[in-house]
């Protein structure tokens, strides 16, 4: 059972583009099951914006509205950990255990975004 594929567990998730605002990213994070939102361009995952990064930026800002109206690119974190759509449950569990994430994006063999797997 643990060596079966993850296909049935992959879910759609909201994503943002580089030109979206942090306000939009924050609202999508709140509405999702995770603590970060994917930044995607032309089907490729560029990085993520985390709830923690948005909160930290707001805490340090003199003008919170200006921060929320800035582009997600300003807080985007590259170097995202992901799963291939052919991964097994065992492989997914090992990836979650080795990384401090609550959501893993799933890509196909061409690197295109297919959905996410929640912890």
């Amino acid at each position: 059972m643990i060596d079966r594929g993850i296909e049935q567990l992959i879910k759609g998730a909201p994503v943002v583009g580089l030109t979206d605002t942090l306000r939009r990213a924050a609202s999508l994070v709140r509405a999702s099951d995770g603590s970060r939102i994917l930044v995607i361009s032309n089907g490729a995952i560029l990085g993520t914006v985390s709830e923690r990064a948005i909160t930290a930026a707001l805490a340090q800002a003199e003008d919170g509205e200006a921060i929320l109206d800035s582009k997600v690119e300003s807080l985007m974190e590259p170097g995202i950990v992901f799963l291939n759509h052919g991964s097994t449950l065992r492989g997914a569990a090992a990836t979650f255990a080795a990384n401090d994430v609550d959501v893993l994006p799933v890509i196909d063999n061409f690197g295109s975004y297919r959905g996410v797997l929640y912890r």
Side-chain angles (χ1 to χ4, degrees), residues 1 15 27-28 34 37 41 44 52 56 61 68 72 89 91 106 108 119:
M1 179 97 164
V15 298
S27 70
L28 291 173
I37 194 87
S41 179
R52 182 175 293 157
L68 289 174
V72 297
L89 288 175
V106 179
D108 64 18
R119 184 176 32 203

Side-chain angles (χ1 to χ4, degrees), residues 14 26-34:
S27 70
L28 291 173
V29 168
R30 274 194 308 269
S32 76
D33 292 329

Side-chain angles (χ1 to χ4, degrees), residues 4-7 9-11 38 45 80-99 101-119:
R4 76 172 204 202
I6 61 170
E7 292 85 16
L9 301 174
I10 298 171
K11 296 184 178 201
L38 297 172
I45 302 167
I80 189 164
V81 177
F82 60 87
L83 294 171
N84 183 281
H85 75 285
S87 296
T88 64
L89 288 175
R90 181 185 308 271
T95 303
F96 276 117
N99 297 277
V101 294
D102 55 0
V103 62
L104 288 168
V106 179
I107 61 169
D108 64 18
N109 291 335
F110 303 103
S112 296
Y113 171 70
R114 291 293 173 233
V116 297
L117 190 66
Y118 291 102
R119 184 176 32 203

Side-chain angles (χ1 to χ4, degrees), residues 28-97:
L28 291 173
V29 168
R30 274 194 308 269
S32 76
D33 292 329
S35 62
R36 56 186 59 239
I37 194 87
L38 297 172
V39 181
I40 296 188
S41 179
N42 296 323
I45 302 167
L46 303 177
T48 64
V49 175
S50 69
E51 179 180 52
R52 182 175 293 157
I54 295 169
T55 303
L58 285 170
Q60 296 174 355
E62 289 183 30
D63 184 356
E65 291 298 315
I67 291 293
L68 289 174
D69 290 334
S70 64
K71 304 297 181 206
V72 297
E73 188 174 22
S74 65
L75 290 181
M76 185 178 76
E77 302 165 24
I80 189 164
V81 177
F82 60 87
L83 294 171
N84 183 281
H85 75 285
S87 296
T88 64
L89 288 175
R90 181 185 308 271
T95 303
F96 276 117

Side-chain angles (χ1 to χ4, degrees), residues 12-29:
V15 298
V16 294
L18 288 173
T19 59
D20 282 315
T21 64
L22 289 173
R23 183 182 310 278
R24 176 167 164 67
S27 70
L28 291 173
V29 168

